[in-house]
Amino acid sequence: MTLLLEQMLNGVQFGVMLFLLAAGLTLVFGVMGLINLAHSSLYMIGAFAAAWAGAHGWSFPLALLAGAGAAALTGIAIEVAVLKRLYQRDHMDQVLATFGMILFFNEAMAMLFGRQPLMATVPGFLSGSVEIIPGVPYPLYRLAIIAVGIAVAALLYVLISHTRAGMLVRAGATHRDMVRALGVDIGLLTTGVFALGAALAGLAGAMTGPLLSVQVGMGDRILITTFVVIVVGGIGSVRGALAGSMLVGMVDTLARAYLPGMLKTVMVATEADAIGAGLSSMAIFILMAAVLLIRPRGLFPAHG
Amino acid sequence: MVNRRTVLSAAGLLLALLLPPLATALGKPDLVTLGTQIAIYAIAAASLDLLIGYTGLSSFGHAAFFGLGGYTVGILAFHAAGEPIFGLLPGATEAWIVWPLAILTAATAALAIGALSLRTEGVSFIMITLAFAEMFFFLFVSLKTYGGDDGLGFRRRSGLPGIAPRDDVAFYYICLAALAAVLFLFSRLVRSRFGQVLQGIRQNPRRMAAIGLSTYRYKLAAFTIAGAGAGLSGALHANLLRFVSPDMLHWTMSGDFMIMVVLGGAGSLVGPVIGAAAMVLLQSWLAQWTEHWMIVMGPILVLVVLFARRGILGWLR
């Protein structure tokens, strides 16, 4: 029972990471109609920048800021230089151009930092664990990630639903030309939205650093999981991204924790381990297939 | 301008046919392997063009079918050398059994994936095909019996009567013949009523639905045929290397196939062949030059998308 609680917290923590990525990706798609594979590069850049800053003696909050900032600056650069020209294009063109960017950024990071994974450390004041419920010690750092995730979700909600900038973002998603006709600088709006999404991806990368190793290509796999989140949640909707993230994070974590054990009750242990590992990494895709069968447009479609 | 294209095609065909003697004359036998690689990728790229260029479906999961075709060959060869599958079915190494099975496996998977992913369109379709391909990637990574991460090697190529399995030149001609057969079949297909409907779906799906056609069924049929083509390509690729690994299903492989189609020129069938050749040659050339060739490849791709949308074929015209 205590183990289940712990695993569920892990699921929420993974879900929070996915949400930070999915929110930016889905906002950019909602407002600009752009599918951006290079989102994974922004995540990687955030992780590398934070790890570098940490290794050079920056304090942890500053390192996080460095990660988010580096990703946001890179995001602004690629948006202004390339992506702006792609908003009106085919999704196919967008996929190819941003795929080219991934090749570039992966190789650039390999040249700058080498192919050996970097290790980022959990900061002193967040190491150790707390007993949230008596008898269930849980790492403080993971709790901190969950807290940051909740804070970001709340901030995004306030920003999008209760500010003037958020109103423009919502209006831009549905009536882009009308917003332009009313005299709003659409270019500034799109760059702003893109920078926000990039900063969130960078923040996710920076916070992941101490949990996993920081290495070239680290964003590619989680990008595909983020796509699953977006398809499950409904494309273009931040609410859908939140629901999808939690669902996918939970299903993935619980499947990995319990599926091999459950299979052991019905088959030989070695086979159960092998098949269980395979099945549990396929679990989220099976979830996606099920959602597609029932609600092809996702659980919370953006419009209508 | 048609003439110029005919001349270029004839020159390309002649070059392809004469490649082995030319390679020997130049003292570069590696060129034959490079040519085989091009022919194999061209089959997968041409089948993807059926979706991207003709039907307007941006599938980002083509590597799944490529890998499934390859693994069918690899797994059957593994069992032919060892125990039967589940202790019942024997393995096989004869090409006339293995290759059709590879095509069938890939087509069946494409039918299943297509049936689900075609319930959506646009960006969701791209993400879903990518995600399902990743699912198969994880499946083969976790199949430790067949090598898992490390992949699965086998000793000899699929047997064809009268052809020595180690003969690289013969294998090159087999792949070339397979490519020719696929291109011929597809060119007939896109001119047929079925092909016309597919192109109608690309141009205006709503109108096709309005004149009473079930666009879903046509798209699913196209998706399955394209999967079958990738399966054949994967089977040949497994034969070329006598090795299969999850890398065949890696998502960057799907990206590479997309690049070949767009780089060469989508919606032409010849374009993807040119694209495959350009991609393989560019990679091997850049790789000789620097180990960090991707730092050049990436920006080239961005530039092609921004400024040369009709690909090499559009530029030749």
Side-chain angles (χ1 to χ4, degrees), chain A residues 29 35 37 82 85-86 89 91-93 95-97 99-104 107-108 111 220-221 224 227-228 230-231 235 274 277-278 281-282 285-286 288-289 292-293 296, chain B residues 52 58 60 116 119-120 122-124 126-128 130-132 134-135 137-139 142 144 250-252 255-256 258-259 262 291-292 294-295 297-299 301-302 305-306 309:
Chain A
F29 179 78
I35 171 170
L37 301 186
V82 180
R85 300 159 206 267
L86 292 172
R89 292 279 198 91
H91 294 316
M92 179 74 205
D93 287 353
V95 164
L96 283 174
F99 180 66
M101 287 180 181
I102 291 184
L103 297 184
F104 174 80
E107 206 60 50
M111 286 169 85
D220 301 350
R221 180 134 303 152
I224 298 175
F227 281 172
V228 173
I230 290 179
V231 169
I235 192 161
S281 51
M282 289 163 70
F285 303 106
I286 297 167
M288 180 181 78
L292 279 174
L293 276 176
Chain B
I52 292 176
S58 312
F60 202 161
L116 279 169
R119 292 168 68 87
T120 63
V123 150
S124 309
I126 297 176
M127 294 181 179
I128 290 161
L130 176 62
F132 278 128
E134 188 76 352
M135 182 177 93
F137 174 82
F138 281 128
L139 176 69
S142 69
K144 298 285 178 250
H250 198 254
W251 71 280
T252 49
D256 284 349
M258 270 183 148
I259 297 173
V262 173
E291 101 180 84
H292 301 293
M294 281 208 280
I295 207 151
M297 192 71 194
L301 194 54
V302 174
V305 171
L306 284 181
R309 297 180 63 190

Coordinates of all heavy atoms in Angstrom, one line a residue, chain A residues 29 35 37 82 85-86 89 91-93 95-97 99-104 107-108 111 220-221 224 227-228 230-231 235 274 277-278 281-282 285-286 288-289 292-293 296, chain B residues 52 58 60 116 119-120 122-124 126-128 130-132 134-135 137-139 142 144 250-252 255-256 258-259 262 291-292 294-295 297-299 301-302 305-306 309:
Chain A
F29 N 1.0 25.1 -30.9 CA 0.2 24.6 -32.0 C -1.2 25.4 -32.0 O -1.7 25.7 -33.1 CB -0.1 23.1 -31.8 CG -1.0 22.6 -32.9 CD1 -0.5 22.4 -34.1 CD2 -2.4 22.4 -32.6 CE1 -1.3 21.9 -35.1 CE2 -3.2 22.0 -33.7 CZ -2.7 21.8 -34.9
I35 N 3.6 22.6 -35.6 CA 4.1 21.4 -34.9 C 5.6 21.5 -34.8 O 6.3 21.5 -35.9 CB 3.6 20.1 -35.5 CG1 4.3 18.9 -34.9 CG2 3.8 20.0 -37.0 CD1 3.8 17.5 -35.3
L37 N 9.0 19.9 -33.6 CA 9.8 18.8 -33.1 C 10.9 19.3 -32.3 O 11.4 18.6 -31.3 CB 10.3 17.9 -34.2 CG 9.3 17.2 -35.1 CD1 10.0 16.3 -36.0 CD2 8.2 16.5 -34.4
V82 N 13.6 31.2 -38.4 CA 13.1 30.2 -39.3 C 11.5 30.0 -39.2 O 10.8 30.0 -40.1 CB 13.8 28.8 -39.1 CG1 13.2 27.8 -40.0 CG2 15.3 29.0 -39.3
R85 N 8.5 31.8 -40.7 CA 8.2 31.5 -42.2 C 7.3 30.3 -42.4 O 6.9 30.0 -43.5 CB 9.4 31.4 -43.0 CG 10.3 32.6 -42.9 CD 11.8 32.1 -43.3 NE 12.7 33.0 -42.7 CZ 13.2 34.1 -43.3 NH1 12.9 34.3 -44.5 NH2 14.1 34.9 -42.7
L86 N 7.2 29.5 -41.3 CA 6.6 28.2 -41.5 C 5.1 28.1 -41.0 O 4.5 27.1 -41.2 CB 7.4 27.1 -40.8 CG 8.8 26.8 -41.4 CD1 9.5 25.8 -40.4 CD2 8.7 26.1 -42.7
R89 N 2.7 27.3 -43.6 CA 3.0 26.1 -44.4 C 2.3 24.9 -43.9 O 1.8 24.8 -42.9 CB 4.5 25.9 -44.4 CG 5.4 27.0 -45.0 CD 5.4 26.8 -46.5 NE 6.5 27.5 -47.1 CZ 7.7 27.0 -47.3 NH1 8.0 25.8 -46.9 NH2 8.6 27.7 -47.8
H91 N 2.0 21.1 -42.5 CA 2.6 20.5 -41.3 C 3.8 19.7 -41.7 O 4.7 19.5 -40.9 CB 1.6 19.6 -40.6 CG 0.4 20.4 -40.0 ND1 0.7 21.6 -39.3 CD2 -0.9 20.2 -40.0 CE1 -0.5 22.0 -38.9 NE2 -1.5 21.3 -39.4
M92 N 3.7 19.1 -42.9 CA 4.8 18.3 -43.4 C 6.1 19.1 -43.4 O 7.2 18.6 -43.0 CB 4.4 17.8 -44.8 CG 5.4 17.0 -45.5 SD 5.4 15.4 -44.9 CE 7.0 15.0 -45.4
D93 N 6.1 20.3 -44.0 CA 7.2 21.2 -44.0 C 7.7 21.5 -42.6 O 8.9 21.5 -42.4 CB 6.9 22.5 -44.8 CG 6.7 22.3 -46.3 OD1 7.0 21.2 -46.7 OD2 6.3 23.2 -46.9
V95 N 7.4 19.7 -39.9 CA 8.0 18.6 -39.4 C 9.5 18.4 -39.9 O 10.4 18.2 -39.1 CB 7.2 17.3 -39.7 CG1 8.1 16.0 -39.4 CG2 6.0 17.2 -38.9
L96 N 9.6 18.6 -41.2 CA 11.0 18.4 -41.8 C 11.9 19.4 -41.3 O 13.1 19.1 -40.9 CB 10.9 18.4 -43.3 CG 10.3 17.1 -43.9 CD1 10.1 17.3 -45.4 CD2 11.3 16.0 -43.6
A97 N 11.5 20.7 -41.3 CA 12.4 21.8 -40.9 C 12.8 21.6 -39.4 O 14.0 21.7 -39.1 CB 11.8 23.1 -41.1
F99 N 12.8 18.9 -37.7 CA 13.6 17.7 -37.6 C 15.1 18.0 -38.0 O 16.0 17.6 -37.3 CB 13.1 16.6 -38.6 CG 13.8 15.3 -38.6 CD1 13.8 14.5 -37.5 CD2 14.5 14.9 -39.7 CE1 14.5 13.3 -37.5 CE2 15.2 13.7 -39.7 CZ 15.2 12.9 -38.6
G100 N 15.2 18.8 -39.0 CA 16.6 19.3 -39.3 C 17.2 20.1 -38.2 O 18.4 19.9 -37.9
M101 N 16.4 20.8 -37.4 CA 16.9 21.6 -36.3 C 17.4 20.6 -35.2 O 18.4 20.8 -34.5 CB 15.9 22.5 -35.7 CG 15.6 23.7 -36.6 SD 14.4 24.7 -35.8 CE 14.2 25.9 -37.0
I102 N 16.6 19.5 -35.0 CA 17.0 18.5 -34.0 C 18.4 18.0 -34.3 O 19.3 17.9 -33.5 CB 16.0 17.4 -33.9 CG1 14.7 17.9 -33.3 CG2 16.6 16.2 -33.0 CD1 13.7 16.8 -33.1
L103 N 18.6 17.6 -35.6 CA 19.9 17.1 -36.0 C 21.0 18.1 -35.7 O 22.0 17.7 -35.1 CB 19.9 16.8 -37.5 CG 18.9 15.8 -38.1 CD1 19.2 15.6 -39.6 CD2 19.1 14.4 -37.4
F104 N 20.7 19.3 -36.0 CA 21.7 20.4 -35.8 C 22.0 20.5 -34.3 O 23.2 20.5 -33.8 CB 21.2 21.7 -36.3 CG 22.1 22.9 -36.0 CD1 23.2 23.1 -36.7 CD2 21.8 23.7 -35.0 CE1 24.0 24.2 -36.4 CE2 22.6 24.8 -34.7 CZ 23.7 25.0 -35.4
E107 N 23.9 17.6 -32.6 CA 25.3 17.5 -33.0 C 26.0 18.7 -32.3 O 27.2 18.5 -31.9 CB 25.4 17.6 -34.5 CG 26.7 17.0 -35.1 CD 26.8 15.5 -34.7 OE1 25.8 14.7 -34.9 OE2 27.9 15.1 -34.2
A108 N 25.4 19.8 -32.3 CA 26.1 21.0 -31.7 C 26.4 20.7 -30.2 O 27.5 21.0 -29.7 CB 25.2 22.2 -31.8
M111 N 29.2 18.4 -29.8 CA 30.5 19.1 -30.1 C 30.9 19.9 -28.9 O 32.1 20.0 -28.5 CB 30.5 19.9 -31.3 CG 30.5 19.1 -32.6 SD 30.1 20.1 -34.1 CE 31.7 20.7 -34.5
D220 N 14.5 13.5 -27.2 CA 13.8 12.9 -28.3 C 12.7 11.9 -27.9 O 11.6 11.9 -28.4 CB 14.8 12.2 -29.3 CG 15.8 13.2 -29.8 OD1 15.6 14.4 -29.6 OD2 16.8 12.8 -30.4
R221 N 13.1 11.1 -26.9 CA 12.2 10.1 -26.4 C 11.0 10.7 -25.7 O 9.8 10.4 -25.9 CB 12.9 9.1 -25.5 CG 12.0 8.0 -25.0 CD 12.6 6.7 -25.1 NE 13.0 6.4 -26.5 CZ 14.0 5.6 -26.8 NH1 14.7 5.0 -25.9 NH2 14.3 5.4 -28.0
I224 N 8.3 12.2 -27.9 CA 7.2 11.3 -28.4 C 6.2 11.0 -27.3 O 5.0 10.9 -27.6 CB 7.9 10.0 -29.0 CG1 8.9 10.4 -30.1 CG2 6.9 9.0 -29.4 CD1 9.7 9.3 -30.7
F227 N 3.9 13.8 -27.3 CA 2.9 13.7 -28.4 C 1.7 12.8 -27.9 O 0.6 13.1 -28.2 CB 3.6 13.1 -29.6 CG 4.4 14.1 -30.4 CD1 5.2 13.7 -31.5 CD2 4.3 15.5 -30.1 CE1 5.9 14.6 -32.2 CE2 5.1 16.4 -30.8 CZ 5.9 16.0 -31.9
V228 N 2.1 11.7 -27.3 CA 1.0 10.8 -26.8 C 0.1 11.6 -25.8 O -1.1 11.5 -25.9 CB 1.6 9.6 -26.1 CG1 0.5 8.8 -25.4 CG2 2.4 8.7 -27.1
I230 N -0.5 14.8 -25.8 CA -1.3 15.8 -26.5 C -2.4 15.1 -27.3 O -3.6 15.6 -27.3 CB -0.4 16.6 -27.5 CG1 0.5 17.5 -26.6 CG2 -1.2 17.4 -28.4 CD1 1.5 18.3 -27.4
V231 N -2.1 13.9 -27.9 CA -3.2 13.2 -28.6 C -4.3 12.7 -27.6 O -5.5 12.9 -27.9 CB -2.6 12.0 -29.3 CG1 -3.7 11.1 -29.8 CG2 -1.7 12.5 -30.5
I235 N -5.6 18.1 -28.9 CA -4.5 19.0 -29.3 C -5.0 20.4 -29.2 O -6.1 20.8 -29.5 CB -4.1 18.6 -30.7 CG1 -2.9 19.3 -31.1 CG2 -5.2 18.9 -31.7 CD1 -2.2 18.7 -32.3
A274 N 11.0 -10.1 -19.1 CA 11.3 -9.6 -20.4 C 10.0 -9.1 -21.0 O 9.9 -7.9 -21.5 CB 11.8 -10.7 -21.3
A277 N 8.7 -5.9 -19.2 CA 9.4 -4.7 -19.6 C 8.9 -4.1 -20.9 O 8.6 -2.9 -21.1 CB 10.9 -4.9 -19.6
G278 N 8.7 -5.1 -21.9 CA 8.2 -4.7 -23.2 C 6.8 -4.1 -23.1 O 6.5 -3.0 -23.6
S281 N 6.5 -0.7 -21.4 CA 6.9 0.5 -22.2 C 5.9 0.8 -23.3 O 5.8 1.8 -23.9 CB 8.3 0.4 -22.7 OG 8.5 -0.8 -23.3
M282 N 5.0 -0.2 -23.6 CA 4.0 -0.1 -24.6 C 2.7 0.4 -24.0 O 1.8 0.8 -24.8 CB 3.7 -1.4 -25.4 CG 4.9 -1.8 -26.3 SD 4.8 -3.5 -26.8 CE 3.4 -3.4 -27.9
F285 N 1.0 3.7 -25.2 CA 0.6 3.7 -26.6 C -0.8 2.9 -26.7 O -1.6 3.3 -27.5 CB 1.6 3.1 -27.5 CG 2.9 3.8 -27.4 CD1 4.0 3.2 -26.7 CD2 3.1 5.0 -28.0 CE1 5.2 3.9 -26.6 CE2 4.3 5.7 -27.9 CZ 5.4 5.1 -27.2
I286 N -0.9 1.9 -25.9 CA -2.2 1.2 -25.8 C -3.3 2.1 -25.3 O -4.4 2.1 -25.8 CB -2.0 -0.1 -25.0 CG1 -1.0 -1.0 -25.7 CG2 -3.3 -0.8 -24.8 CD1 -0.5 -2.2 -24.8
M288 N -3.2 5.3 -25.7 CA -3.5 6.2 -26.8 C -4.5 5.6 -27.8 O -5.5 6.2 -28.2 CB -2.2 6.6 -27.5 CG -2.4 7.6 -28.6 SD -0.9 8.0 -29.4 CE -0.6 6.6 -30.4
A289 N -4.2 4.3 -28.1 CA -5.1 3.6 -29.0 C -6.5 3.5 -28.5 O -7.5 3.8 -29.2 CB -4.6 2.2 -29.3
L292 N -8.2 6.9 -28.8 CA -8.5 7.1 -30.2 C -9.8 6.4 -30.6 O -10.6 6.9 -31.4 CB -7.4 6.7 -31.1 CG -6.2 7.6 -31.2 CD1 -5.1 7.0 -32.0 CD2 -6.7 8.9 -31.9
L293 N -10.0 5.2 -30.1 CA -11.2 4.4 -30.4 C -12.4 5.1 -29.9 O -13.5 5.2 -30.6 CB -11.1 3.0 -29.9 CG -10.3 2.0 -30.7 CD1 -10.2 0.7 -30.0 CD2 -11.0 1.8 -32.1
P296 N -11.7 10.2 -30.8 CA -10.6 10.4 -31.8 C -10.0 11.8 -31.6 O -8.9 12.0 -31.9 CB -11.3 10.3 -33.1 CG -12.5 9.5 -32.9 CD -13.0 9.8 -31.5
Chain B
I52 N 2.4 10.5 -48.8 CA 2.7 12.0 -48.7 C 2.4 12.7 -50.0 O 1.6 13.7 -50.0 CB 4.2 12.2 -48.3 CG1 4.5 11.7 -46.9 CG2 4.5 13.7 -48.4 CD1 5.9 11.8 -46.5
S58 N 0.6 12.7 -44.1 CA 2.0 12.8 -43.6 C 2.3 11.8 -42.6 O 2.2 12.1 -41.4 CB 2.3 14.2 -43.1 OG 1.8 15.2 -43.9
F60 N 4.5 9.7 -40.2 CA 5.8 9.8 -39.6 C 6.2 8.5 -38.9 O 6.9 8.5 -38.0 CB 5.8 10.9 -38.5 CG 7.1 11.5 -38.2 CD1 7.2 12.8 -37.6 CD2 8.3 10.9 -38.5 CE1 8.4 13.4 -37.3 CE2 9.5 11.5 -38.2 CZ 9.6 12.7 -37.6
L116 N -6.5 2.8 -36.9 CA -6.6 3.7 -35.7 C -6.2 5.1 -36.1 O -7.0 6.0 -35.8 CB -5.7 3.2 -34.6 CG -6.3 2.0 -33.8 CD1 -5.2 1.5 -32.9 CD2 -7.5 2.5 -32.9
R119 N -8.4 7.7 -38.0 CA -9.6 8.3 -37.4 C -9.3 9.8 -37.2 O -10.2 10.5 -36.9 CB -9.9 7.6 -36.1 CG -10.4 6.2 -36.3 CD -10.4 5.4 -35.0 NE -11.4 6.0 -34.1 CZ -12.7 5.6 -34.0 NH1 -13.1 4.7 -34.9 NH2 -13.5 6.1 -33.2
T120 N -8.1 10.2 -37.2 CA -7.7 11.6 -37.0 C -7.1 12.1 -38.3 O -6.9 11.4 -39.3 CB -6.7 11.8 -35.9 OG1 -5.5 11.1 -36.3 CG2 -7.2 11.3 -34.6
G122 N -4.3 15.5 -40.1 CA -3.4 16.6 -39.8 C -2.3 16.3 -38.8 O -1.7 15.2 -38.9
V123 N -2.1 17.2 -37.9 CA -1.1 17.1 -36.9 C -1.2 15.9 -36.0 O -0.2 15.2 -35.7 CB -1.0 18.4 -36.1 CG1 -0.5 18.1 -34.7 CG2 -0.1 19.4 -36.8
S124 N -2.5 15.6 -35.6 CA -2.6 14.4 -34.8 C -2.2 13.1 -35.5 O -1.6 12.3 -34.9 CB -4.1 14.2 -34.4 OG -4.6 15.4 -33.9
I126 N 0.2 12.9 -37.7 CA 1.6 12.8 -37.7 C 2.1 12.3 -36.3 O 2.9 11.3 -36.2 CB 2.2 14.2 -37.9 CG1 1.9 14.7 -39.3 CG2 3.7 14.2 -37.7 CD1 2.3 16.2 -39.5
M127 N 1.5 12.8 -35.2 CA 2.0 12.4 -33.9 C 1.6 10.9 -33.6 O 2.4 10.2 -33.0 CB 1.3 13.3 -32.8 CG 1.7 14.7 -32.9 SD 0.8 15.6 -31.6 CE 1.4 17.2 -31.8
I128 N 0.4 10.5 -34.1 CA 0.0 9.2 -33.8 C 0.8 8.1 -34.5 O 1.3 7.1 -33.9 CB -1.5 9.0 -34.1 CG1 -2.3 9.8 -33.1 CG2 -1.9 7.5 -34.0 CD1 -3.7 10.1 -33.5
L130 N 3.8 8.5 -35.5 CA 5.1 8.5 -34.8 C 5.1 7.7 -33.6 O 6.0 6.8 -33.3 CB 5.5 9.9 -34.5 CG 6.8 10.2 -33.7 CD1 8.0 9.6 -34.5 CD2 7.0 11.6 -33.4
A131 N 4.0 7.8 -32.8 CA 3.9 7.1 -31.5 C 3.8 5.6 -31.7 O 4.4 4.9 -31.0 CB 2.7 7.7 -30.7
F132 N 3.0 5.2 -32.7 CA 2.8 3.8 -32.8 C 4.1 3.1 -33.3 O 4.4 2.0 -33.0 CB 1.7 3.4 -33.8 CG 0.3 3.5 -33.2 CD1 -0.7 4.2 -33.7 CD2 0.1 2.7 -32.0 CE1 -2.0 4.2 -33.1 CE2 -1.2 2.8 -31.4 CZ -2.2 3.5 -32.0
E134 N 7.0 4.1 -32.5 CA 7.8 4.1 -31.3 C 7.4 2.9 -30.4 O 8.3 2.2 -29.8 CB 7.7 5.4 -30.5 CG 8.6 5.5 -29.3 CD 10.0 5.9 -29.7 OE1 10.3 5.9 -30.9 OE2 10.8 6.2 -28.8
M135 N 6.2 2.5 -30.5 CA 5.7 1.4 -29.7 C 6.4 0.1 -30.2 O 6.8 -0.7 -29.4 CB 4.2 1.2 -29.8 CG 3.6 0.1 -29.1 SD 1.8 0.1 -29.2 CE 1.6 -1.0 -30.6
F137 N 9.2 0.0 -31.8 CA 10.6 0.1 -31.4 C 10.8 -0.5 -30.0 O 11.7 -1.3 -29.8 CB 11.0 1.6 -31.5 CG 12.3 1.9 -30.9 CD1 13.4 1.7 -31.8 CD2 12.5 2.3 -29.7 CE1 14.7 2.0 -31.3 CE2 13.8 2.6 -29.2 CZ 14.9 2.4 -30.0
F138 N 9.9 -0.1 -29.1 CA 10.1 -0.6 -27.7 C 9.9 -2.1 -27.7 O 10.5 -2.8 -26.9 CB 9.1 0.1 -26.8 CG 9.6 1.4 -26.3 CD1 8.7 2.5 -26.5 CD2 10.8 1.6 -25.8 CE1 9.2 3.8 -26.1 CE2 11.3 2.9 -25.4 CZ 10.4 3.9 -25.5
L139 N 8.9 -2.6 -28.5 CA 8.7 -4.0 -28.5 C 9.9 -4.8 -28.9 O 10.3 -5.7 -28.2 CB 7.6 -4.3 -29.6 CG 7.2 -5.8 -29.8 CD1 6.6 -6.4 -28.5 CD2 6.4 -6.0 -31.0
S142 N 12.6 -4.8 -26.2 CA 12.4 -5.6 -25.1 C 12.4 -7.1 -25.4 O 12.4 -8.0 -24.5 CB 11.0 -5.3 -24.4 OG 10.0 -5.7 -25.3
K144 N 14.2 -9.8 -25.7 CA 15.6 -10.3 -25.5 C 16.0 -11.5 -26.3 O 17.2 -11.7 -26.6 CB 15.8 -10.5 -24.0 CG 15.6 -9.3 -23.1 CD 16.8 -8.3 -23.2 CE 16.6 -7.1 -22.4 NZ 16.3 -5.9 -23.2
H250 N 13.8 3.1 -35.5 CA 14.0 4.3 -34.7 C 13.3 5.5 -35.4 O 13.2 5.5 -36.7 CB 15.5 4.6 -34.6 CG 15.8 5.6 -33.5 ND1 16.2 6.9 -33.8 CD2 15.8 5.5 -32.2 CE1 16.4 7.5 -32.6 NE2 16.2 6.7 -31.7
W251 N 12.8 6.4 -34.7 CA 12.0 7.5 -35.3 C 12.8 8.3 -36.3 O 12.2 8.9 -37.2 CB 11.4 8.3 -34.2 CG 12.3 9.2 -33.4 CD1 13.1 8.8 -32.4 CD2 12.5 10.6 -33.7 NE1 13.8 9.9 -32.0 CE2 13.5 11.0 -32.8 CE3 12.0 11.5 -34.6 CZ2 14.0 12.3 -32.7 CZ3 12.4 12.8 -34.5 CH2 13.4 13.2 -33.6
T252 N 14.1 8.4 -36.1 CA 14.9 9.2 -37.0 C 14.9 8.5 -38.4 O 15.0 9.2 -39.4 CB 16.3 9.4 -36.6 OG1 16.9 8.1 -36.2 CG2 16.4 10.3 -35.4
G255 N 12.0 9.8 -40.1 CA 12.3 11.1 -40.5 C 13.2 11.1 -41.8 O 12.9 11.9 -42.8
D256 N 14.1 10.2 -41.9 CA 15.0 10.0 -43.0 C 14.1 9.7 -44.3 O 14.4 10.3 -45.4 CB 16.0 9.0 -42.8 CG 17.2 9.4 -41.9 OD1 17.2 10.6 -41.6 OD2 18.0 8.6 -41.5
M258 N 11.0 10.5 -44.8 CA 10.3 11.7 -45.2 C 11.2 12.6 -45.9 O 10.8 13.2 -46.9 CB 9.8 12.4 -43.9 CG 8.5 12.0 -43.4 SD 8.1 13.0 -42.0 CE 6.3 13.1 -42.2
I259 N 12.5 12.8 -45.4 CA 13.4 13.7 -46.1 C 13.6 13.2 -47.5 O 13.6 14.0 -48.5 CB 14.8 13.7 -45.4 CG1 14.6 14.2 -44.0 CG2 15.8 14.5 -46.1 CD1 15.8 14.1 -43.1
V262 N 10.7 14.3 -49.7 CA 10.6 15.8 -50.0 C 11.8 16.3 -50.7 O 11.7 17.2 -51.6 CB 10.4 16.5 -48.6 CG1 10.4 18.0 -48.8 CG2 9.0 16.1 -48.1
E291 N 33.1 13.9 -38.8 CA 32.3 13.0 -38.0 C 31.0 13.7 -37.6 O 30.0 13.1 -37.3 CB 33.0 12.4 -36.8 CG 32.7 13.1 -35.5 CD 33.4 12.6 -34.3 OE1 34.6 13.0 -34.1 OE2 32.8 11.7 -33.6
H292 N 31.0 15.0 -37.5 CA 29.9 15.8 -37.1 C 29.0 16.2 -38.4 O 28.6 17.3 -38.5 CB 30.3 17.0 -36.3 CG 31.0 16.7 -35.1 ND1 30.5 16.0 -34.0 CD2 32.3 16.9 -34.8 CE1 31.4 15.9 -33.1 NE2 32.5 16.4 -33.5
M294 N 26.1 15.7 -39.2 CA 24.7 16.1 -39.0 C 24.6 17.6 -38.8 O 23.5 18.2 -39.0 CB 24.1 15.3 -37.8 CG 23.7 13.9 -38.2 SD 22.4 13.3 -37.3 CE 23.2 12.8 -35.8
I295 N 25.6 18.2 -38.3 CA 25.6 19.7 -38.1 C 25.5 20.4 -39.5 O 25.0 21.6 -39.5 CB 26.8 20.2 -37.3 CG1 26.4 21.4 -36.5 CG2 28.0 20.4 -38.1 CD1 27.1 21.6 -35.2
M297 N 24.0 18.6 -42.2 CA 22.8 18.0 -42.8 C 21.5 18.7 -42.3 O 20.6 19.0 -43.0 CB 22.7 16.5 -42.3 CG 21.7 15.7 -43.1 SD 22.1 15.5 -44.8 CE 20.6 14.9 -45.4
G298 N 21.5 19.1 -41.0 CA 20.3 19.7 -40.4 C 20.0 21.0 -41.1 O 18.9 21.2 -41.6
P299 N 20.9 22.0 -41.2 CA 20.7 23.2 -41.8 C 20.3 23.1 -43.3 O 19.5 23.8 -43.8 CB 22.0 24.0 -41.7 CG 22.5 23.5 -40.4 CD 22.2 22.0 -40.4
L301 N 18.7 20.7 -44.6 CA 17.3 20.3 -44.6 C 16.3 21.5 -44.4 O 15.3 21.7 -45.1 CB 17.1 19.3 -43.5 CG 15.8 18.5 -43.5 CD1 15.6 17.8 -44.8 CD2 15.8 17.5 -42.4
V302 N 16.7 22.4 -43.4 CA 15.9 23.6 -43.2 C 15.9 24.4 -44.4 O 14.8 25.0 -44.8 CB 16.5 24.4 -42.0 CG1 15.8 25.7 -41.8 CG2 16.4 23.6 -40.7
V305 N 13.6 23.0 -47.1 CA 12.2 23.2 -46.8 C 11.8 24.7 -47.1 O 10.7 25.0 -47.7 CB 11.9 22.9 -45.4 CG1 10.5 23.3 -45.0 CG2 12.0 21.4 -45.1
L306 N 12.7 25.6 -46.7 CA 12.3 27.0 -46.9 C 12.4 27.5 -48.3 O 11.5 28.2 -48.7 CB 13.3 27.9 -46.0 CG 13.1 27.9 -44.5 CD1 14.1 28.8 -43.9 CD2 11.7 28.4 -44.2
R309 N 11.0 24.0 -52.2 CA 9.9 23.1 -51.8 C 9.6 22.0 -52.8 O 9.0 21.0 -52.4 CB 8.6 23.9 -51.6 CG 8.8 25.0 -50.5 CD 7.5 25.8 -50.4 NE 6.4 24.9 -49.9 CZ 5.2 25.3 -49.9 NH1 4.9 26.5 -50.3 NH2 4.2 24.6 -49.5

